[in-house]
Amino acid sequence: MPLDHRRLCGPEESQPPSLWAALAAEDEDEEGAGAAPRDPCSLRPLFARAGLLSQAQGSAYVELGSGTKVLCAAWGPREAAEPGPGRLLCEFRRAPFAGRGARGRPGGLAEREAEREAAAALREALEPAVRLGRYPRARLAVSALLLQDGGSALAAAVSAAALALADAGVEMYDLAVGCALCRPPAATAAAWMLQPAEPEERRAAARLTLALLPALNQVSAVLGGGQGGPPEDWAQALRLGLDGCHRQYPVLRQSLLRAAQRRDAAAAAAAAASVA
């Protein structure tokens, strides 16, 4: 009997996809409930590297221990058509594979609106760190791509974008360091938690993202919302977030220093090769 090669025969017995989705959600809830409680003041491991992309004037990659991965590219001053002081243009995009589970249609209205809000928050956090007065009638551009969303994505994008701008040679007052916090539901815990993972953010009663210029001890942006309790609790969250930014600052500075050393070594090697 000839075979029909135009179609693929499925299994004789199968289960609806909704069944497996429900089982996966139950497994995730059991893992979250059975996991040991994390110290709310502890920071997740942070990896940062500057100067990765050759196509951009400046670039940076930031990865958190929760799985969040952000890649940023920056371009130095370009002439703007309209007169006035310098402008900082920010773009934030999510990769189609960035999140777990179901998501909206790629490029849909809801996704574009979320990306616009994230880009506006990124610009709000970065503008106080950049010396825009030194670039009249010029545009500075930074683009952040979220490769994987494991939680605290906006805070990681702030740190990566600041690294990329500094790597591009843009004059800055200081590096902007981002730190995210969340407050679990009242029935679970009452303390704020540093650098929440994606499941922790999803179940949180309140969220907060803080951007700080550590050398100047100046807060450049505070973004958040939810049911955080009385003002004293929000003040506690701000103190915890400031401490988290200060603790991440040396890692970002070292990554920027290593990128400058690699660039100088490559230039010295190229000069030596041209002489030889």
Side-chain angles (χ1 to χ4, degrees):
M1 181 178 178
L3 298 177
D4 187 356
H5 297 282
R6 293 173 298 178
R7 64 179 64 187
L8 297 175
C9 299
E12 296 180 358
E13 296 181 0
S14 61
Q15 301 292 339
S18 57
L19 174 62
W20 304 108
L23 291 176
E26 291 177 3
D27 292 342
E28 184 177 336
D29 293 339
E30 290 177 0
E31 291 176 1
R38 185 170 66 92
D39 182 6
C41 298
S42 65
L43 288 174
R44 297 186 184 274
L46 169 65
F47 173 80
R49 183 180 175 90
L52 287 87
L53 304 178
S54 59
Q55 297 86 355
Q57 293 180 354
S59 59
Y61 172 80
V62 167
E63 180 176 346
L64 300 179
S66 60
T68 297
K69 302 174 183 178
V70 181
L71 180 64
C72 285
W75 292 268
R78 298 177 179 177
E79 184 177 358
E82 61 278 2
R87 295 180 55 196
L88 178 63
L89 306 179
C90 295
E91 180 187 28
F92 183 94
R93 292 180 294 118
R94 290 176 59 95
F97 47 83
R100 294 180 56 187
R103 64 191 296 267
R105 181 173 63 86
L109 181 61
E111 181 176 344
R112 290 199 303 269
E113 182 63 26
E115 290 179 348
R116 280 196 296 267
E117 292 178 358
L122 195 61
R123 178 181 176 184
E124 180 181 348
L126 293 174
E127 275 190 337
V130 181
R131 303 185 64 179
L132 292 175
R134 301 297 297 269
Y135 303 102
R137 293 196 61 177
R139 295 178 301 164
L140 308 173
V142 60
S143 176
L145 175 62
L146 179 61
L147 300 173
Q148 183 173 334
D149 186 3
S152 308
L154 179 58
V158 169
S159 300
L163 272 180
L165 286 170
D167 185 60
V170 175
E171 293 192 30
M172 303 177 68
Y173 295 104
D174 193 13
L175 287 176
V177 183
C179 188
L181 304 96
C182 79
R183 180 189 175 102
T188 304
W192 287 83
M193 184 178 298
L194 274 175
Q195 290 185 331
E198 193 273 335
E200 295 168 341
E201 282 187 335
R202 192 173 354 107
R203 295 190 295 264
R207 302 179 186 178
L208 185 67
T209 298
L210 180 70
L212 176 71
L213 310 181
L216 305 177
N217 201 26
Q218 176 182 339
V219 176
S220 60
V222 178
L223 308 165
Q227 300 176 357
E232 293 78 11
D233 290 347
W234 288 99
Q236 174 195 358
L238 285 175
R239 289 191 294 268
L240 188 61
L242 291 174
D243 179 66
C245 291
H246 281 291
R247 288 154 61 188
Q248 295 180 78
Y249 188 53
V251 179
L252 301 178
R253 286 190 59 184
Q254 285 298 320
S255 66
L256 189 60
L257 178 60
R258 287 193 294 268
Q261 292 173 345
R262 290 194 302 269
R263 189 179 296 111
D264 292 342
S274 62
V275 171

PDB file of all heavy atoms in Angstrom, residues 5 45 113 167 177 179 191 233-234 241 254 263:
ATOM      1  N   HIS A   5       2.888  10.682   1.707  1.00  0.00           N
ATOM      2  CA  HIS A   5       3.984  11.487   2.245  1.00  0.00           C
ATOM      3  C   HIS A   5       3.595  12.942   2.440  1.00  0.00           C
ATOM      4  O   HIS A   5       4.431  13.744   2.864  1.00  0.00           O
ATOM      5  CB  HIS A   5       5.189  11.409   1.296  1.00  0.00           C
ATOM      6  CG  HIS A   5       5.747  10.023   1.162  1.00  0.00           C
ATOM      7  ND1 HIS A   5       6.553   9.444   2.123  1.00  0.00           N
ATOM      8  CD2 HIS A   5       5.591   9.092   0.173  1.00  0.00           C
ATOM      9  CE1 HIS A   5       6.882   8.215   1.735  1.00  0.00           C
ATOM     10  NE2 HIS A   5       6.316   7.980   0.561  1.00  0.00           N
ATOM     11  N   PRO A  45      23.715  36.552  41.977  1.00  0.00           N
ATOM     12  CA  PRO A  45      24.980  36.722  41.250  1.00  0.00           C
ATOM     13  C   PRO A  45      24.794  37.602  40.017  1.00  0.00           C
ATOM     14  O   PRO A  45      23.794  37.505  39.304  1.00  0.00           O
ATOM     15  CB  PRO A  45      25.360  35.289  40.873  1.00  0.00           C
ATOM     16  CG  PRO A  45      24.680  34.440  41.889  1.00  0.00           C
ATOM     17  CD  PRO A  45      23.403  35.137  42.224  1.00  0.00           C
ATOM     18  N   GLU A 113       2.990  48.473  23.677  1.00  0.00           N
ATOM     19  CA  GLU A 113       2.746  49.427  24.750  1.00  0.00           C
ATOM     20  C   GLU A 113       3.671  49.148  25.940  1.00  0.00           C
ATOM     21  O   GLU A 113       4.222  50.080  26.545  1.00  0.00           O
ATOM     22  CB  GLU A 113       1.285  49.350  25.190  1.00  0.00           C
ATOM     23  CG  GLU A 113       0.908  50.348  26.281  1.00  0.00           C
ATOM     24  CD  GLU A 113       1.046  51.789  25.825  1.00  0.00           C
ATOM     25  OE1 GLU A 113       0.946  52.044  24.615  1.00  0.00           O
ATOM     26  OE2 GLU A 113       1.256  52.648  26.706  1.00  0.00           O
ATOM     27  N   ASP A 167      30.740  52.845  27.671  1.00  0.00           N
ATOM     28  CA  ASP A 167      31.638  52.164  26.753  1.00  0.00           C
ATOM     29  C   ASP A 167      31.725  52.896  25.417  1.00  0.00           C
ATOM     30  O   ASP A 167      32.754  52.815  24.729  1.00  0.00           O
ATOM     31  CB  ASP A 167      31.162  50.729  26.547  1.00  0.00           C
ATOM     32  CG  ASP A 167      32.116  49.908  25.693  1.00  0.00           C
ATOM     33  OD1 ASP A 167      33.285  49.752  26.100  1.00  0.00           O
ATOM     34  OD2 ASP A 167      31.694  49.429  24.628  1.00  0.00           O
ATOM     35  N   VAL A 177      22.892  52.624  38.230  1.00  0.00           N
ATOM     36  CA  VAL A 177      22.764  51.234  38.662  1.00  0.00           C
ATOM     37  C   VAL A 177      21.307  50.978  39.025  1.00  0.00           C
ATOM     38  O   VAL A 177      20.710  51.733  39.795  1.00  0.00           O
ATOM     39  CB  VAL A 177      23.674  50.934  39.875  1.00  0.00           C
ATOM     40  CG1 VAL A 177      23.587  49.470  40.260  1.00  0.00           C
ATOM     41  CG2 VAL A 177      25.107  51.318  39.560  1.00  0.00           C
ATOM     42  N   CYS A 179      18.185  48.521  40.531  1.00  0.00           N
ATOM     43  CA  CYS A 179      17.919  47.466  41.501  1.00  0.00           C
ATOM     44  C   CYS A 179      16.409  47.338  41.650  1.00  0.00           C
ATOM     45  O   CYS A 179      15.704  48.343  41.782  1.00  0.00           O
ATOM     46  CB  CYS A 179      18.560  47.775  42.851  1.00  0.00           C
ATOM     47  SG  CYS A 179      18.459  46.416  44.042  1.00  0.00           S
ATOM     48  N   ALA A 191       8.406  41.301  54.431  1.00  0.00           N
ATOM     49  CA  ALA A 191       9.636  42.011  54.104  1.00  0.00           C
ATOM     50  C   ALA A 191       9.763  42.179  52.594  1.00  0.00           C
ATOM     51  O   ALA A 191       9.317  41.342  51.815  1.00  0.00           O
ATOM     52  CB  ALA A 191      10.838  41.251  54.660  1.00  0.00           C
ATOM     53  N   ASP A 233       7.026  51.281  55.280  1.00  0.00           N
ATOM     54  CA  ASP A 233       7.451  50.111  54.505  1.00  0.00           C
ATOM     55  C   ASP A 233       8.099  50.522  53.189  1.00  0.00           C
ATOM     56  O   ASP A 233       9.084  49.903  52.745  1.00  0.00           O
ATOM     57  CB  ASP A 233       6.255  49.202  54.238  1.00  0.00           C
ATOM     58  CG  ASP A 233       5.772  48.501  55.499  1.00  0.00           C
ATOM     59  OD1 ASP A 233       6.508  48.532  56.502  1.00  0.00           O
ATOM     60  OD2 ASP A 233       4.655  47.944  55.487  1.00  0.00           O
ATOM     61  N   TRP A 234       7.568  51.563  52.536  1.00  0.00           N
ATOM     62  CA  TRP A 234       8.187  52.038  51.304  1.00  0.00           C
ATOM     63  C   TRP A 234       9.558  52.644  51.594  1.00  0.00           C
ATOM     64  O   TRP A 234      10.500  52.489  50.794  1.00  0.00           O
ATOM     65  CB  TRP A 234       7.294  53.070  50.630  1.00  0.00           C
ATOM     66  CG  TRP A 234       6.065  52.473  50.017  1.00  0.00           C
ATOM     67  CD1 TRP A 234       4.816  52.441  50.555  1.00  0.00           C
ATOM     68  CD2 TRP A 234       5.976  51.805  48.762  1.00  0.00           C
ATOM     69  NE1 TRP A 234       3.940  51.800  49.704  1.00  0.00           N
ATOM     70  CE2 TRP A 234       4.619  51.400  48.594  1.00  0.00           C
ATOM     71  CE3 TRP A 234       6.888  51.506  47.754  1.00  0.00           C
ATOM     72  CZ2 TRP A 234       4.180  50.713  47.472  1.00  0.00           C
ATOM     73  CZ3 TRP A 234       6.442  50.827  46.626  1.00  0.00           C
ATOM     74  CH2 TRP A 234       5.098  50.438  46.484  1.00  0.00           C
ATOM     75  N   GLY A 241      16.925  49.093  48.584  1.00  0.00           N
ATOM     76  CA  GLY A 241      17.320  49.253  47.187  1.00  0.00           C
ATOM     77  C   GLY A 241      18.589  50.071  47.023  1.00  0.00           C
ATOM     78  O   GLY A 241      19.439  49.752  46.176  1.00  0.00           O
ATOM     79  N   GLN A 254      34.234  47.471  37.414  1.00  0.00           N
ATOM     80  CA  GLN A 254      35.299  46.569  37.000  1.00  0.00           C
ATOM     81  C   GLN A 254      35.098  46.083  35.572  1.00  0.00           C
ATOM     82  O   GLN A 254      36.065  45.945  34.812  1.00  0.00           O
ATOM     83  CB  GLN A 254      35.378  45.382  37.959  1.00  0.00           C
ATOM     84  CG  GLN A 254      36.012  45.703  39.296  1.00  0.00           C
ATOM     85  CD  GLN A 254      37.460  46.147  39.157  1.00  0.00           C
ATOM     86  OE1 GLN A 254      38.226  45.612  38.365  1.00  0.00           O
ATOM     87  NE2 GLN A 254      37.826  47.161  39.935  1.00  0.00           N
ATOM     88  N   ARG A 263      40.515  47.171  25.059  1.00  0.00           N
ATOM     89  CA  ARG A 263      40.583  48.069  23.905  1.00  0.00           C
ATOM     90  C   ARG A 263      41.988  48.648  23.747  1.00  0.00           C
ATOM     91  O   ARG A 263      42.518  48.744  22.634  1.00  0.00           O
ATOM     92  CB  ARG A 263      39.555  49.190  24.069  1.00  0.00           C
ATOM     93  CG  ARG A 263      39.388  50.069  22.840  1.00  0.00           C
ATOM     94  CD  ARG A 263      38.344  51.137  23.054  1.00  0.00           C
ATOM     95  NE  ARG A 263      37.030  50.544  23.257  1.00  0.00           N
ATOM     96  CZ  ARG A 263      36.360  50.549  24.403  1.00  0.00           C
ATOM     97  NH1 ARG A 263      36.917  51.059  25.492  1.00  0.00           N
ATOM     98  NH2 ARG A 263      35.159  50.020  24.486  1.00  0.00           N
TER      99      ARG A 263
END
